[in-house]
Amino acid sequence: MVLHQNQTHLVSSFSQSTPSSVHSHLPTACSKTIFAIVFLLPLCCYAVVPCNMTLDCEIIFLVGSTCVDNKCTNPFASGCLRTLELQKIRNGTFESQSLPPRRICNSDDNETGKLCSISQFDYPEIRIANQNWESPMFLSWIMQIYLSERLEVPSTIETGFDDKGSSFYDIDDSFTY
């Protein structure tokens, strides 16, 4: 009922300034927009992809994603560059002599050796400051990939909160801010 009243108010406020052709399509456009905002926006916040078997995840994502508790995991958890090379092997376009090593472990990792390696250089961990905008989030992921996979420096994404994280390598493929 409230949405209908808002739509009517919106249409009546534009009735004097819009041509009749635009005016006739406005209620439909408003209802679609309001539906998208009210019902679809909350769905965009969850990146869970349902699955029955690992092959489902590998088809949807890439080699490296597995089906755990009927949800696909992050295919890049062991390293972005490594996963891309594994995908090339699967496609038959692999030209290199060896795979890139697993990424370097950081303080967010629970299991050492399964998804990551210990750095042989004994560097201290670098914490990359993250903000709640998408562009710094993407840049922090690029920095984390470069540091962890090319320079072999342990790195994490720092959000400023203990209960929030946005690591590119998060096994559940989730980030919060």
Side-chain angles (χ1 to χ4, degrees):
M1 186 72 173
V2 174
L3 293 177
H4 181 67
Q5 289 174 350
N6 288 342
Q7 289 173 347
T8 306
H9 175 68
L10 185 61
V11 170
S12 64
S13 66
F14 286 123
S15 64
Q16 296 163 350
S17 62
T18 56
S20 60
S21 61
V22 174
H23 178 65
S24 63
H25 295 291
L26 198 53
T28 305
C30 287
S31 63
K32 287 180 181 178
T33 303
I34 291 172
F35 174 79
I37 290 171
V38 172
F39 295 106
L40 298 181
L41 189 60
L43 296 177
C44 297
C45 297
Y46 303 103
V48 175
V49 176
C51 61
N52 293 321
M53 56 178 24
T54 296
L55 185 59
D56 296 339
C57 299
E58 289 181 351
I59 291 170
I60 293 169
F61 290 124
L62 294 170
V63 171
S65 181
T66 58
C67 187
V68 177
D69 297 328
N70 294 328
K71 295 180 280 191
C72 292
T73 61
N74 182 359
F76 301 111
S78 66
C80 176
L81 303 175
R82 181 179 179 82
T83 300
L84 294 176
E85 293 298 323
L86 287 170
Q87 188 66 32
K88 287 181 182 178
I89 290 173
R90 182 179 191 179
N91 295 339
T93 59
F94 185 68
E95 298 175 6
S96 180
Q97 297 296 324
S98 64
L99 278 173
R102 287 188 169 91
R103 67 177 175 83
I104 298 303
C105 297
N106 59 44
S107 61
D108 292 337
D109 293 315
N110 295 332
E111 299 177 26
T112 304
K114 185 176 180 185
L115 296 174
C116 58
S117 308
I118 302 295
S119 175
Q120 62 183 348
F121 301 114
D122 197 32
Y123 289 124
E125 182 173 271
I126 293 178
R127 295 185 180 261
I128 304 165
N130 191 6
Q131 298 172 339
N132 61 350
W133 290 62
E134 288 181 351
S135 56
M137 213 178 293
F138 297 146
L139 287 173
S140 65
W141 287 342
I142 291 168
M143 290 170 55
Q144 186 179 27
I145 292 166
Y146 189 74
L147 286 166
S148 297
E149 297 183 36
R150 285 292 183 218
L151 299 180
E152 296 187 20
V153 176
S155 59
T156 56
I157 307 296
E158 180 63 48
T159 60
F161 300 97
D162 290 337
D163 61 340
K164 298 190 185 310
S166 68
S167 175
F168 182 79
Y169 304 115
D170 183 61
I171 193 71
D172 295 324
D173 203 14
S174 64
F175 64 92
T176 56
Y177 59 89

